[in-house]
Amino acid sequence: MPVSNHFTAISSKILRSSPPKTLFINQQRILSKTQVNFNLSSRNPVHNLFYNANSFQKLSIQSLPYPNYNPVKNLFTGIVEEMGEIKQLGYAEDGGFEMKISGNVVLEDVKLGDSISVNGTCLTVTEFDKKESEFSVGLAPETLRKTSLIELVPGSRVNLERALLPSTRMGGHFVQGHVDGTGEIVSLEFEGDSLWVKVKTPPEVLKFIVPKGFIAVDGTSLTVCKVFDDEECFNFMLVAYTQQNVVIPLKKVGQKVNLEVDILGKYVERLLQSGFTSNITPK
């Protein structure tokens, strides 16, 4: 049988066994579980904006009707291209939670489905308007639970970066846009025109952070200066130019930042846990 006919036969068999309309039926069933409204005029943080349409009681983010799905498709450098501004955030007509962001540089060659890093979180462009210089991205419940995006309000500034192209210069380090956890800013101190920033983070994240190593903070590629294990903290320094082009200096003590550790450290831990080194015998 020719290859093309064989492929057609297999495709037809798969479609008969799993009709595409089943996916839409299941999605509709999921979406009907919780009816939620959103007030676009509100300037409250995201976590205060979920309420039941009938009782007006706040819902926990865990009850949002969406599956967790964040495939690995793109790569970033951690070199912020521009700072955007949150214009709107809330529920779209289809029930999904969306965020509308203003931007210019990231819209130069944008297409629907492109990935843009927003404060270090890889998000998919669902709509854009170059005339209005704005684009929209969808947010999953897991994204809101695991990142600092939950603190955003209309008017908040965010770091923006497009995904890498094969021709892109690698100016920072490999950043996936998959946030490992959040940290809390515990101090901001100037030394000359440079800014020391100290961040506290849980041990499960801190174990991957090493002095002079890479870390992405709100999507910005930075070099760790010191690690304070007894305080569960680390620090880094921002030069004057960086301070003017990223959102970190705009934040206050007590606010959260997104953290993504160097992927190499996680691979090393995985190999050690798997017993890989026990199979290595000296020559």
Side-chain angles (χ1 to χ4, degrees):
M1 178 185 294
V3 174
S4 59
N5 293 341
H6 182 64
F7 178 77
T8 302
I10 293 176
S11 300
S12 300
K13 183 177 180 181
I14 292 174
L15 289 174
R16 285 196 301 271
S17 61
S18 302
K21 65 180 182 180
T22 303
L23 298 177
F24 295 101
I25 293 172
N26 290 339
Q27 184 182 31
Q28 186 176 10
R29 186 180 300 121
I30 293 172
L31 293 177
S32 64
K33 287 182 179 179
T34 307
Q35 298 298 322
V36 184
N37 286 345
F38 177 78
N39 182 2
L40 284 177
S41 64
S42 174
R43 295 183 61 85
N44 290 325
V46 175
H47 65 271
N48 291 334
L49 299 176
F50 299 99
Y51 59 84
N52 189 289
N54 297 322
S55 65
F56 289 92
Q57 294 177 345
K58 291 180 183 177
L59 300 173
S60 66
I61 290 178
Q62 284 80 355
S63 68
L64 291 176
Y66 281 93
N68 301 329
Y69 181 64
N70 193 12
V72 180
K73 290 184 178 180
N74 302 283
L75 195 65
F76 304 90
T77 66
I79 303 300
V80 177
E81 293 187 279
E82 66 174 324
M83 286 191 289
E85 181 179 331
I86 302 299
K87 308 301 289 185
Q88 289 182 351
L89 64 169
Y91 282 97
E93 293 180 358
D94 62 359
F97 193 83
E98 287 190 341
M99 193 161 55
K100 185 174 288 185
I101 307 169
S102 66
N104 293 293
V105 177
V106 295
L107 295 180
E108 290 176 357
D109 54 357
V110 69
K111 300 183 296 296
L112 289 178
D114 280 357
S115 291
I116 293 179
S117 171
V118 180
N119 274 4
T121 307
C122 180
L123 299 174
T124 302
V125 176
T126 58
E127 187 179 358
F128 66 90
D129 187 335
K130 290 188 177 182
K131 290 184 179 180
E132 296 294 329
S133 298
E134 60 187 26
F135 66 98
S136 297
V137 294
L139 291 171
E142 181 72 358
T143 304
L144 294 172
R145 282 192 291 266
K146 297 294 186 181
T147 71
S148 66
L149 298 182
I150 198 169
E151 294 186 344
L152 296 176
V153 298
S156 295
R157 304 298 298 275
V158 288
N159 292 330
L160 301 176
E161 182 193 355
R162 290 168 292 183
L164 277 172
L165 295 174
S167 58
T168 305
R169 292 183 62 185
M170 190 66 195
H173 71 283
F174 293 126
V175 179
Q176 293 180 295
H178 298 169
V179 176
D180 292 305
T182 59
E184 179 185 338
I185 297 175
V186 295
S187 68
L188 297 164
E189 298 179 2
F190 280 96
E191 182 179 344
D193 63 354
S194 295
L195 178 65
W196 283 101
V197 183
K198 192 172 185 179
V199 177
K200 184 173 183 178
T201 191
E204 57 267 25
V205 176
L206 190 68
K207 67 181 179 180
F208 294 109
I209 302 175
V210 297
K212 310 308 177 188
F214 288 122
I215 189 166
V217 181
D218 275 345
T220 306
S221 176
L222 297 168
T223 301
V224 176
C225 292
K226 294 181 180 179
V227 177
F228 307 89
D229 290 312
D230 55 334
E231 302 176 46
E232 297 183 353
C233 295
F234 69 95
N235 68 1
F236 55 88
M237 178 175 276
L238 300 177
V239 298
Y241 177 83
T242 305
Q243 293 173 47
Q244 298 169 8
N245 291 278
V246 301
V247 301
I248 300 169
L250 302 178
K251 294 191 172 184
K252 301 177 181 180
V253 171
Q255 286 191 281
K256 291 181 180 180
V257 289
N258 289 327
L259 301 177
E260 181 183 332
V261 300
D262 192 344
I263 185 63
L264 294 179
K266 291 187 284 187
Y267 279 131
V268 170
E269 183 189 52
R270 179 66 173 169
L271 286 172
L272 293 174
Q273 290 178 343
S274 67
F276 173 79
T277 54
S278 63
N279 297 324
I280 301 176
T281 55
K283 293 184 179 179

